[in-house]
């Protein structure tokens, strides 16, 4: 099983970024996919979730700015991040939740001018 995040980078405040989570070794379509983040010196926090049926939920801190989506044909989950703020700076991790839970290695997102 592999979950591989990509798409992180450096972006200015107010900018946008899309991170991806490509999976293999799981029946992606039946998994709930989630995004989490961990800023330096802080605990990992939940960002967003999308169920196998497409139901989405967001943390209050990102609601209206971030959009989680999935492409079952590509076995990939996405997190579109708009109106980014410096406090969004963190390592972003994806999680696949099913019979077992799996995590990716993370991708760094830095919001700075």
């Amino acid at each position: 099983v592999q979950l591989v995040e990509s798409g992180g980078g450096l972006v200015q405040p107010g900018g946008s970024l899309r991170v991806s989570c490509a999976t293999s070794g799981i029946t992606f379509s039946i998994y709930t996919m989630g995004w989490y983040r961990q800023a330096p010196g802080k605990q990992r926090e939940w960002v967003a979730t999308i169920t196998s049926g497409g139901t989405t939920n967001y943390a209050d801190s990102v609601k209206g700015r971030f959009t989680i989506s999935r492409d079952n044909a590509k076995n990939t989950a996405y997190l579109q991040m708009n109106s980014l703020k410096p406090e969004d700076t963190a390592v972003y991790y994806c999680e696949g939740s099913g019979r077992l839970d799996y995590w990716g290695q993370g991708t760094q997102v830095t919001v700075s001018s």
Side-chain angles (χ1 to χ4, degrees):
V1 175
Q2 282 194 311
L3 280 68
V4 180
E5 299 96 334
S6 62
L10 174 65
V11 62
Q12 292 187 341
S16 298
L17 207 59
R18 188 179 80 160
V19 291
S20 303
C21 174
T23 73
S24 60
I26 62 172
T27 306
F28 179 79
S29 62
I30 67 172
Y31 270 67
T32 291
M33 299 302 297
W35 285 97
Y36 292 73
R37 66 187 181 186
Q38 188 167 19
K42 294 187 177 181
Q43 290 189 331
R44 188 173 298 189
E45 66 173 354
W46 169 72
V47 175
T49 300
I50 184 167
T51 68
S52 58
T55 300
T56 58
N57 283 288
Y58 299 93
D60 287 344
S61 59
V62 307
K63 201 172 293 183
R65 299 188 298 122
F66 290 12
T67 302
I68 189 171
S69 62
R70 63 190 300 155
D71 185 337
N72 289 343
K74 295 182 177 180
N75 296 330
T76 300
Y78 304 95
L79 186 68
Q80 176 68 43
M81 302 181 288
N82 298 329
S83 302
L84 282 160
K85 306 175 182 180
E87 51 264 43
D88 295 317
T89 295
V91 177
Y92 284 72
Y93 299 89
C94 69
E95 182 204 24
S97 180
R99 187 171 64 87
L100 296 174
D101 290 352
Y102 300 99
W103 291 86
Q105 83 291 345
T107 185
Q108 176 70 48
V109 172
T110 302
V111 185
S112 175
S113 55

